[in-house]
Every structure is written in C-alpha cells, then in structure tokens.
Amino acid sequence: MEWKLFAHLRTAADGGTVSVDVPDGATVETALDELLAERPALADEVLEDGELADHVRLLVDGEDPFANGDGLATTVDSETELALFPPVSGG
C-alpha cells in the first residue's frame, strides 16, 4: 500500500510517497505504524503524545476515516491509498 505525503512531510520522509507492506484487513493504525517504522523522522511531525496529532489530516482513499469510517480502526488492503497532510495556513 502507498502513503502519499504532502508539504513538509515529504521532506521529513525523504520523498512524497512511501510504500509499506501490511496484510489485507489491517487497520489504518497498522499502516501508520509501518510508515513510521520506515520513516522514523515523520513521528515528530505527525504524533503528539504517541497519538496522531489533531492538526494532521489523514485520508483513506480520499475520505476522512474519522468522519466517514472507524478512524484508525478503519480496515485497509493493498489497494488502499493513504495520505497525510500537515496543517495549512495562508493569507
């Protein structure tokens, strides 16, 4: 499965996409753990007290799993596309 990373998360991960291996039926949490194992520098950017930071946006196949699914318990498979976005500001 593939994670897409945006803005400064690309820099922290040393690239805009990271592939991780998780079994079908795994959860978003498992996929996130695998991502952070592959790219440990991301942990400082996306975790707060060991949990996904409130300011980080996570999408599963373009949908918010916290609004339209089971959050980190949402199941995924090898075809699932996951994305992480840092907070965005502008003016």
Side-chain angles (χ1 to χ4, degrees), residues 6-9 45-46 53-57 84-90:
F6 296 87
H8 72 275
L9 299 180
E45 303 294 332
V46 301
D54 289 338
H55 63 269
V56 174
R57 180 88 189 251
L84 285 176
F85 296 86
V88 177
S89 62

Side-chain angles (χ1 to χ4, degrees), residues 1 22-28 30-31 60 73-80 82:
M1 101 178 359
V22 296
D24 284 354
T27 64
V28 171
T30 302
V60 178
T74 301
T75 57
V76 296
D77 60 38
S78 62
E79 300 299 315
T80 302
L82 300 166

Side-chain angles (χ1 to χ4, degrees), residues 1-4 16-22 31 34-35 38-39:
M1 101 178 359
E2 189 169 88
W3 280 93
K4 290 190 175 188
T17 60
V18 178
S19 294
V20 297
D21 291 322
V22 296
E34 289 298 316
L35 172 66
E38 285 282 324
R39 301 293 197 277

Side-chain angles (χ1 to χ4, degrees), residues 5-16:
L5 307 168
F6 296 87
H8 72 275
L9 299 180
R10 287 176 179 250
T11 304
D14 218 12

Side-chain angles (χ1 to χ4, degrees), residues 37-77:
E38 285 282 324
R39 301 293 197 277
L42 278 173
D44 289 340
E45 303 294 332
V46 301
L47 298 181
E48 220 169 64
D49 297 324
E51 302 290 326
L52 185 65
D54 289 338
H55 63 269
V56 174
R57 180 88 189 251
L58 186 150
L59 297 180
V60 178
D61 290 330
E63 300 286 329
D64 182 344
F66 299 96
N68 302 321
D70 295 323
L72 293 176
T74 301
T75 57
V76 296
D77 60 38

